[in-house]
Amino acid sequence: MIDQSKFPLLREKLYSAVICDILDELGVRNGAMYHHIRPLTPDMVTVGRAFTMLATDVYEIPEEPYKLELEAVDSVKSGEVIVATTNGSVSSGFWGELLSTAAVGRGACGAIIDGLTRDSKRIIKMGFPVFVRGMSPYDSKGRTDVIAYQVPIVCGGVLVRPGDLVFADYDGIVVVPKEIEDEVIDRAMQKVSGENKVREELLAGVSAREVFASKRQIQPTLASYPTLGDNPLQKIL
């Protein structure tokens, strides 16, 4: 598994598209979340281990509002990215400034919410990377409640398990199953290095067809890497 100390390097060198390309090569073709989950600003990037939350609509104010949500945030560890689904609910601003502040205090790297947030300008001012479907001024109390955390969830159409590697930038949010993350990241770094060379050649005026033909010839094949078998998901699911 990738050590947390390497996360800043991944954030600097990699991007969601190249990680998706590697997942495609390994047969994992559904690793990117739906496009409607967007960063609050274009420059927001986050990478870390998934800390999952499962929330749903509620129709009365509970005896202990926010109980599991606060318990969950208090359980976040350094290097984790909060990944939450509201099961499609847009009834409230599930996320907000105070939760972002608490997450920062716990060492979280960001938050990815398949739902809405409020206090968006204050979060932007904090510089904490938050990816959401939109905004709402409504409080979640009596509208949306966390029912479990650190369990497998489907967020943005992708299965996310606690500890999976998450990478998010302006183009999208990619989930890398922890069983194959070493291979994925190693190959992604190699691909970025190769693409830098391609970029230089294109800028120098070399024809696109010539450059990409050369790129195909030198690109490592899947057979040249250790694999998990015919289907990479066999050891994941």
Side-chain angles (χ1 to χ4, degrees):
M1 294 176 66
I2 306 296
D3 188 83
Q4 179 183 332
S5 64
K6 298 293 189 336
F7 290 170
L9 177 65
L10 304 188
R11 189 166 54 246
E12 176 189 353
K13 299 292 186 182
L14 298 183
Y15 44 93
S16 59
V18 74
I19 296 173
C20 271
D21 288 350
I22 302 304
L23 287 174
D24 275 352
E25 292 174 8
L26 292 173
V28 183
R29 298 183 59 84
N30 62 336
M33 295 188 187
Y34 295 145
H35 63 275
H36 59 233
I37 306 178
R38 305 296 301 149
L40 290 179
T41 64
D43 60 337
M44 286 183 171
V45 180
T46 188
V47 58
R49 303 243 166 248
F51 182 100
T52 62
M53 292 189 200
L54 177 62
T56 191
D57 277 336
V58 293
Y59 303 97
E60 62 180 0
I61 297 176
E63 291 184 7
E64 296 183 67
Y66 320 117
K67 180 181 178 181
L68 279 184
E69 186 172 18
L70 297 178
E71 184 179 305
V73 172
D74 283 344
S75 301
V76 171
K77 297 181 178 64
S78 177
E80 292 182 324
V81 175
I82 295 166
V83 182
T85 179
T86 62
N87 278 324
S89 172
V90 290
S91 63
S92 72
F94 172 77
W95 196 251
E97 178 206 4
L98 295 182
L99 289 175
S100 294
T101 303
V104 169
R106 299 294 302 173
C109 300
I112 296 164
I113 313 297
D114 193 354
L116 308 181
T117 191
R118 60 186 198 163
D119 311 320
S120 54
K121 285 189 174 182
R122 291 180 178 273
I123 296 172
I124 291 170
K125 188 175 181 180
M126 290 173 57
F128 182 63
V130 171
F131 295 68
V132 291
R133 290 174 60 186
M135 294 81 170
S136 169
Y138 282 125
D139 187 5
S140 64
K141 182 169 65 175
R143 296 185 177 95
T144 315
D145 210 8
V146 171
I147 57 175
Y149 63 92
Q150 286 296 70
V151 296
I153 64 172
V154 173
C155 184
V158 177
L159 176 67
V160 186
R161 301 161 308 154
D164 282 341
L165 188 65
V166 180
F167 188 100
D169 60 16
Y170 191 63
D171 280 345
I173 303 158
V174 187
V175 180
V176 181
K178 51 194 168 187
E179 290 83 356
I180 59 173
E181 68 177 52
D182 289 321
E183 181 175 6
V184 170
I185 296 305
D186 180 60
R187 294 179 64 170
M189 295 293 280
Q190 293 181 46
K191 186 176 178 70
V192 166
S193 178
E195 288 188 348
N196 289 338
K197 184 175 184 298
V198 167
R199 190 177 297 108
E200 292 172 1
E201 292 177 346
L202 291 172
L203 285 172
V206 181
S207 78
R209 285 180 296 178
E210 182 180 345
V211 170
F212 280 91
S214 173
K215 180 173 178 287
R216 282 195 297 270
Q217 291 174 5
I218 64 173
Q219 188 174 27
T221 62
L222 182 58
S224 67
Y225 289 90
T227 66
L228 294 175
D230 293 336
N231 181 0
L233 293 177
Q234 287 175 348
K235 292 189 177 182
I236 299 172
L237 301 176

